[in-house]
């Protein structure tokens, strides 16, 4: 273990997919990397523009989560050399915290020989995140249908349809999950509850069977999106009209403010859809970045290397640059 260096590549995720509040998640082809090895003293190195403001001491989430793994496994590894790079924007609804939690759990577990099962890591990740949708998608890849009662999380993984593609519009402002949750009502009507149960069930069936045409109707929601729309100007119009511009369906990604639209990969209307999302947000004075992403069918990819004692690793950045070539 003392000369082992672990590098973990973790996918981003989108959660809820409209009606599946805190239960549906999908991994996306946007990534974070966590590198971890044993050290004489703890050192953290954070790379990339998405890492601004993240602590670089033992209060860092990666370090703290790693220590939970070691405690669960009954080992002591108090000092770590940790590096992280992420392309996943913070507090934008694309699972940045979930990817960090999953990356730390998987890296720390691999560092000590993987004594904890994926099932155990899923339970730990869910307890840390407070819901299983994002962490499940980042840990298992694909589409994850999950449930949590506060003590145990269960899930089923679905393979994403080969033609499914996603367009995300990422507004140039952050929105904390806490603020987005405060916008939700304490109670909803029976009619709205039944509406969401039916749409969520239909969406899972559509995704499982490949009936992509049903997504447009199945992604409708009355549980959280109508209440969060006021926090993201232009959101209501995008969700209502995205299908008119070629989308299979559209939703708020997680707690937002990112908006996500699904489309068939061979659709001739991709540019039209992208212009609609950007134009609608711009009319509200919101600048946004768009990315075309694929569902990511894989969970974390683990690489284990030999670390040379006393030599600071450049392996993380070298690996990222190599993948970008």
């Amino acid at each position: 273990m003392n000369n082992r260096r672990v590098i973990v590549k973790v996918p981003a995720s989108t959660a809820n997919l409209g009606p599946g509040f805190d239960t549906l998640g999908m991994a996306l082809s946007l990534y974070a990397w966590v590198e971890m090895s044993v050290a004489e003293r703890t050192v953290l190195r954070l790379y990339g523009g998405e890492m601004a403001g993240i602590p670089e001491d033992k209060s860092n989430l990666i370090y703290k989560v790693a220590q939970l793994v070691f405690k669960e496994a009954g080992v002591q590894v108090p000092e770590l050399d940790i590096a992280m790079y992420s392309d996943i924007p913070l507090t934008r609804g694309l699972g940045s915290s979930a990817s960090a939690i999953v990356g730390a759990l998987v890296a720390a577990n691999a560092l000590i020989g993987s004594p904890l099962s994926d099932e155990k890591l899923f339970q730990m990740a869910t307890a840390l995140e407070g819901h299983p949708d994002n962490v499940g998608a980042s840990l298992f890849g694909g589409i994850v249908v999950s449930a949590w009662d506060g003590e145990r999380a269960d899930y089923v993984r679905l393979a994403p349809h080969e033609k499914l593609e996603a367009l995300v519009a990422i507004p140039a402002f952050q929105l904390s999950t806490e603020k987005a949750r405060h916008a939700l009502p304490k109670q909803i009507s029976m009619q709205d509850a039944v509406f969401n149960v039916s749409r969520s069930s239909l969406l899972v069936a559509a995704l499982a069977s490949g009936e992509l045409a049903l997504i447009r109707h199945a992604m409708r929601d009355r549980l959280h999106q109508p209440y969060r729309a006021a926090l993201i100007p232009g959101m209501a119009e995008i969700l209502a009209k995205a299908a008119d511009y070629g989308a299979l369906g559209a939703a708020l990604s997680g707690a937002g403010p990112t908006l996500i639209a699904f489309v068939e990969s061979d659709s001739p209307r991709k540019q039209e859809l992208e212009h609609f999302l950007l134009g609608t947000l711009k009319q509200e004075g919101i600048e946004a970045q768009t990315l075309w992403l694929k569902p990511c069918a894989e969970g974390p990819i683990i690489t284990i290397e030999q670390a040379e004692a006393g030599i600071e690793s450049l392996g993380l950045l070298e690996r990222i640059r190599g993948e970008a070539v």
Side-chain angles (χ1 to χ4, degrees):
M1 181 176 68
N2 288 338
N3 62 348
R4 178 181 294 168
R5 176 189 300 130
V6 175
I7 300 173
V8 177
K9 178 182 178 182
V10 188
S13 59
T14 184
N16 302 329
L17 305 185
F21 185 68
D22 279 1
T23 64
L24 299 182
M26 178 188 293
L28 296 172
S29 59
L30 191 67
Y31 302 97
W33 289 259
V34 174
E35 178 184 288
M36 189 177 296
S37 58
V38 178
E40 293 183 1
R41 64 179 181 85
T42 294
V43 176
L44 286 104
R45 298 183 305 282
L46 306 175
Y47 304 108
E50 300 301 335
M51 295 287 97
I54 303 298
E56 299 184 50
D57 56 25
K58 289 185 177 181
S59 67
N60 184 281
L61 178 64
I62 303 292
Y63 178 86
K64 292 165 71 174
V65 172
Q67 293 304 317
L68 293 176
V69 172
F70 302 146
K71 181 179 179 180
E72 185 69 30
V75 301
Q76 292 187 351
V77 191
E79 307 298 334
L80 294 168
D81 187 316
I82 297 170
M84 183 175 183
Y85 176 91
S86 180
D87 285 328
I88 307 169
L90 299 178
T91 57
R92 296 294 208 283
L94 288 169
S96 58
S97 65
S99 66
I101 288 170
V102 170
L105 288 169
V106 171
N109 192 44
L111 186 64
I112 58 174
S114 299
L116 306 185
S117 67
D118 285 348
E119 173 64 25
K120 179 61 179 177
L121 297 182
F122 177 52
Q123 301 300 326
M124 294 175 69
T126 300
L128 286 164
E129 180 77 345
H131 43 92
D133 44 4
N134 288 105
V135 294
S138 284
L139 183 58
F140 300 115
I143 301 163
V144 172
V145 186
S146 57
W148 189 51
D149 61 5
E151 295 182 2
R152 174 178 171 78
D154 294 289
Y155 77 95
V156 172
R157 181 192 176 278
L158 303 176
H161 194 284
E162 60 183 10
K163 285 190 175 182
L164 197 61
E165 195 168 347
L167 170 65
V168 294
I170 308 170
F173 65 88
Q174 296 183 340
L175 178 60
S176 71
T177 300
E178 182 180 4
K179 183 177 180 180
R181 285 188 180 268
H182 278 316
L184 304 182
K186 298 296 184 183
Q187 294 181 326
I188 61 169
S189 69
M190 176 67 74
Q191 184 180 18
D192 286 348
V194 172
F195 182 94
N196 263 66
V197 170
S198 66
R199 300 295 165 169
S200 182
S201 300
L202 183 63
L203 180 58
V204 171
L207 293 169
S209 65
E211 295 288 341
L212 300 184
L214 289 175
I215 290 177
R216 174 176 185 173
H217 307 289
M219 287 185 74
R220 294 171 62 194
D221 161 73
R222 292 182 183 173
L223 186 60
H224 67 107
Q225 292 180 158
Y227 305 101
R228 289 170 165 172
L231 302 175
I232 307 151
M235 168 182 157
E237 182 177 359
I238 287 172
L239 298 193
K241 297 181 180 179
D244 297 335
Y245 292 84
L248 292 166
L252 181 66
S253 183
T258 294
L259 298 163
I260 185 165
F262 293 101
V263 66
E264 290 193 59
S265 57
D266 56 358
S267 170
R269 303 184 69 186
K270 289 183 181 179
Q271 189 174 17
E272 181 184 356
L273 178 62
E274 187 170 9
H275 286 167
F276 167 65
L277 264 64
L278 289 173
T280 302
L281 292 171
K282 192 169 185 178
Q283 285 179 355
E284 300 291 342
I286 297 174
E287 295 297 324
Q289 172 193 10
T290 53
L291 295 173
W292 284 99
L293 303 173
K294 296 277 191 180
C296 180
E298 294 181 301
I301 297 174
I302 305 168
T303 303
I304 299 176
E305 301 174 344
Q306 294 299 111
E308 296 183 47
I311 298 178
E312 182 179 291
S313 167
L314 294 177
L316 182 65
L317 286 181
E318 289 175 347
R319 183 171 301 281
I320 296 166
R321 290 187 186 117
E323 291 185 3
V325 171

